[in-house]
Amino acid sequence: MKLTLKIWRQANQDAKGAMHTYELDEVSEDMSFLEMLDVLNEKLNADGEEPIAFDSDCREGICGMCSLMINGEAHGPEVTTTCQLHMRSFNDGETITIEPWRAQAFPVIKDLVVDRSAFDRIIQMGGFISVNTGAAPDAATMPVPKDKADRSFDMATCIGCGACVAACPNGSASLFLGAKITHLGELPQGQAERNERVVNMAAQHDHEHFGGCTNIGECSAACPKEIPLDVISQLNKDLRTAMKQGR
Amino acid sequence: MATDTLVKNARAARTTIALKLAMATSGLIFIGFVLMHMYGNLKAFGGRDAFNKYAEHLRTFGEPMLPHEGLLWVIRVVLLVALVVHVASAAQLAARASKSRPVKYEVKKNKHSSISSRTMRWGGVALLLFIVWHLINFTIGKVNVSGGATTDPFNLLVDSFDVWWLTLIYLLAMLALGLHLHHGTWSALQTLGLTNSARSRKAAKTTGLIVAVVIAGGFMLVPLFTLFGVISK
Ligand code: HEM
Ligand code: SF4
Ligand code: FES
């Protein structure tokens, strides 16, 4: 495959960035998207140019590092992470535009790499359970209804990639926030801190300059883990309950 | 710019979700009102007496427990407060949204949004302008663009919608209302936390569609049938 790549280049956080165009030949359709970028970087290295900075870690769809906006879609055209996206999803001769996540809360560090530590701070404000849950065998002594356990597990698959924010026209992180709230709120261990958690995490979300949700649904459509929109309803419900109970 | 501080003394009432709750509640008040209003307008099909009697009845409702026009004033105050809350929260949320993405995308696809959801803000502004004109037209100003009498509500209505361009303005405004209600209804239910499953989400979206078609469609009947002469003096 022969590709024209339009890629955002930015030297550092304070520098002004711009789109640059690169031609890349002999791309195999079996390559992953990141391998394609690796090939481009080898070529840039050989030509004595600065390689393109982009994030990745596990390359197996579980860490959430590989944040790229590809042709206007977070993680590209398939429902998966960029590292699990293959070049067969593109056509020979295609022009592919690659941009970093765009959000006030996710500043660009270099080229395609953004700082997602805003998510860490939201987690720091309540995305955990501080009651003692005991040693492993004790877990079986606390029954969790199957439907609740399933819902909790499903929402725990959120990898914190930030695609929801990147895709949202309001730059809101409500899907991420809702996934965390639902994941912990469905479990008995999550109840003690339930009100405190939702208020603190929602406040930190706003403090990080994420926008407010208008229930448009771009987030869920972009989520590689298919987190559904009902977690946002759950988030709203938990916040309303907390407000009623004086938080 | 990201911050690196943590919030202290977080309060539920100060979150954007609380703003959304205010928006949803005031929106639902509007929905209740426009439903009643639409129903009242259909009285025009019953002719002058049915329509004018309804208008008069609205003013005498609840007498002598309530003063003359008592109920009307209660509704007016509630609506005015709801409007201020609704528009103020919309403005705040819109301002936040525009600041949350200072650098725009070169290419951005819409994968899931609808025209309704994408036009909430501009559609809302259009509705606000329409509401101002509508009140000047029928309530506060009583402007008869055909130059006829304005003392008789039915007369004013027929004279107004006999004018094609005024009918067109009303039809366009109802289109905007339909779009706003299509997304707004389901959005309000989601904001209130009532759509916690795929099934209830689907039901809320269907409700939004029905509410939009019934209200906007119902409102459109009177101007259209007046223009075509079915409703006449
Ligand atoms: C008859 C008048 C109106 C009705 C029935 C109505 C109804 C609603 C409802 C039910 C919502 C959903 C709340 C939520 O998202 O949770 C909403 C949202 C909204 N309304 Fe209105 N509204 C009206 C007038 C206006 C006006 C005059 C504006 C003006 C500026 C406006 C702007 C908005 C905006 C920006 C949203 C939020 C968008 C979103 O949630 O996606 N609305 N409206
Ligand atoms: S909700 Fe989905 S898109 Fe958002 S951070 Fe989690 S995995 Fe990524
Ligand atoms: S690199 Fe880990 S999810 Fe893509």
Side-chain angles (χ1 to χ4, degrees):
Chain A
M1 296 169 82
K2 195 170 157 35
L3 298 171
T4 304
L5 303 167
K6 290 167 109 177
I7 301 177
W8 180 262
R9 302 293 317 252
Q10 181 174 339
N12 58 53
Q13 195 160 328
D14 305 316
K16 209 170 137 21
M19 299 301 287
H20 286 235
T21 306
Y22 303 90
E23 302 291 335
L24 192 59
D25 212 344
E26 290 176 12
V27 175
S28 151
E29 46 181 45
D30 295 329
M31 283 178 187
S32 79
F33 199 84
L34 297 184
E35 280 164 351
M36 182 277 290
L37 287 178
D38 291 337
V39 171
L40 174 63
N41 272 347
E42 275 170 23
K43 190 178 142 202
L44 291 180
N45 264 333
D47 296 348
E49 269 190 71
E50 176 87 5
I52 296 156
F54 63 90
D55 256 332
S56 78
D57 188 7
C58 69
R59 296 208 178 192
E60 56 180 15
I62 54 170
C63 75
M65 284 304 283
C66 51
S67 49
L68 293 180
M69 200 71 175
I70 302 164
N71 282 345
E73 295 179 85
H75 294 298
E78 314 284 344
V79 183
T80 186
T81 53
T82 301
C83 58
Q84 295 294 297
L85 179 67
H86 290 86
M87 296 316 293
R88 54 179 165 271
S89 300
F90 299 88
N91 299 316
D92 190 24
E94 194 171 337
T95 299
I96 305 177
T97 306
I98 310 171
E99 296 173 80
W101 285 171
R102 294 289 186 202
Q104 174 79 341
F106 291 162
V108 172
I109 298 173
K110 189 177 180 183
D111 297 338
L112 301 171
V113 178
V114 299
D115 176 359
R116 286 179 300 121
S117 59
F119 271 11
D120 299 339
R121 288 185 292 276
I122 292 178
I123 295 293
Q124 235 179 308
M125 289 296 283
F128 50 80
I129 284 168
S130 36
V131 293
N132 190 349
T133 54
D138 297 353
T141 63
M142 189 178 282
V144 182
K146 172 91 166 88
D147 56 335
K148 286 184 175 270
D150 282 351
R151 191 170 191 226
S152 179
F153 266 128
D154 286 347
M155 304 321 153
T157 58
C158 165
I159 52 179
C161 64
C164 42
V165 176
C168 175
N170 297 307
S172 172
S174 291
L175 196 70
F176 165 77
L177 193 52
K180 302 301 165 196
I181 291 296
T182 310
H183 159 206
L184 298 174
E186 288 292 344
L187 299 176
Q189 294 91 340
Q191 301 314 310
E193 293 156 298
R194 191 165 179 169
N195 285 350
E196 199 182 329
R197 172 180 308 117
V198 67
V199 174
N200 284 341
M201 289 178 82
Q204 188 68 27
H205 167 279
D206 295 348
H207 182 61
E208 298 288 351
H209 303 291
F210 290 109
C213 172
T214 58
N215 303 316
I216 284 184
E218 289 290 343
C219 51
S220 190
C223 174
K225 300 298 162 184
E226 300 177 81
I227 301 288
L229 278 184
D230 38 88
V231 299
I232 298 181
S233 174
Q234 187 69 56
L235 163 71
N236 295 333
K237 188 178 176 188
D238 278 25
L239 186 107
R240 190 158 55 83
T241 309
M243 189 153 45
K244 236 189 310 183
Q245 294 175 0
R247 273 257 156 212
Chain B
M1 179 69 357
T3 59
D4 38 26
T5 53
L6 297 180
V7 173
K8 288 194 191 72
N9 306 321
R11 303 287 307 168
R14 276 194 248 122
T15 58
T16 47
I17 302 175
L19 272 182
K20 289 287 301 173
L21 284 167
M23 183 119 233
T25 315
S26 50
L28 289 179
I29 292 174
F30 288 147
I31 292 179
F33 168 73
V34 285
L35 248 178
M36 303 285 291
H37 187 354
M38 187 272 292
Y39 165 78
N41 286 5
L42 295 180
K43 297 274 179 193
F45 282 100
R48 177 192 305 273
D49 288 349
F51 189 77
N52 284 354
K53 214 183 276 161
Y54 178 77
E56 181 52 29
H57 189 65
L58 277 181
R59 283 156 181 81
T60 56
F61 190 95
E63 279 182 30
M65 292 273 281
L66 291 173
H68 188 67
E69 296 203 344
L71 174 73
L72 221 50
W73 276 106
V74 171
I75 295 176
R76 283 170 183 161
V77 170
V78 170
L79 285 176
L80 192 63
V81 172
L83 189 67
V84 170
V85 168
H86 199 77
V87 175
S89 350
Q92 249 177 296
L93 285 165
R96 274 196 72 98
S98 73
K99 276 192 226 132
S100 73
R101 179 163 298 132
V103 185
K104 305 285 174 254
Y105 289 109
E106 205 76 17
V107 182
K108 176 74 173 72
K109 284 199 186 120
N110 289 315
K111 293 212 286 188
H112 195 272
S113 56
S114 59
I115 350 171
S116 314
S117 68
R118 269 178 273 130
T119 52
M120 286 308 272
R121 291 187 180 126
W122 285 113
V125 172
L127 284 177
L128 191 61
L129 292 176
F130 168 74
I131 292 167
V132 171
W133 160 247
H134 178 55
L135 290 178
I136 292 173
N137 191 177
F138 283 112
T139 310
I140 305 169
K142 296 203 193 290
V143 177
N144 190 331
V145 290
S146 317
T150 59
T151 42
D152 177 302
F154 185 74
N155 191 65
L156 181 56
L157 180 141
V158 175
D159 274 357
S160 293
F161 295 132
D162 274 342
V163 179
W164 70 269
W165 56 265
L166 194 55
T167 303
L168 187 66
I169 291 178
Y170 274 83
L171 292 180
L172 288 176
M174 288 311 106
L175 192 68
L177 180 62
L179 290 174
H180 202 80
L181 291 177
H182 175 226
H183 181 73
T185 305
W186 114 259
S187 181
L189 295 171
Q190 164 93 348
T191 300
L192 290 169
L194 303 174
T195 46
N196 286 324
S197 65
R199 236 182 83 214
S200 52
R201 179 168 63 250
K202 197 153 174 273
K205 288 197 169 181
T206 310
T207 308
L209 188 62
I210 295 171
V211 165
V213 171
V214 167
I215 294 182
F219 269 129
M220 285 180 185
L221 292 178
V222 172
L224 273 177
F225 279 75
T226 309
L227 187 64
F228 295 129
V230 178
I231 298 172
S232 60
K233 286 188 253 182

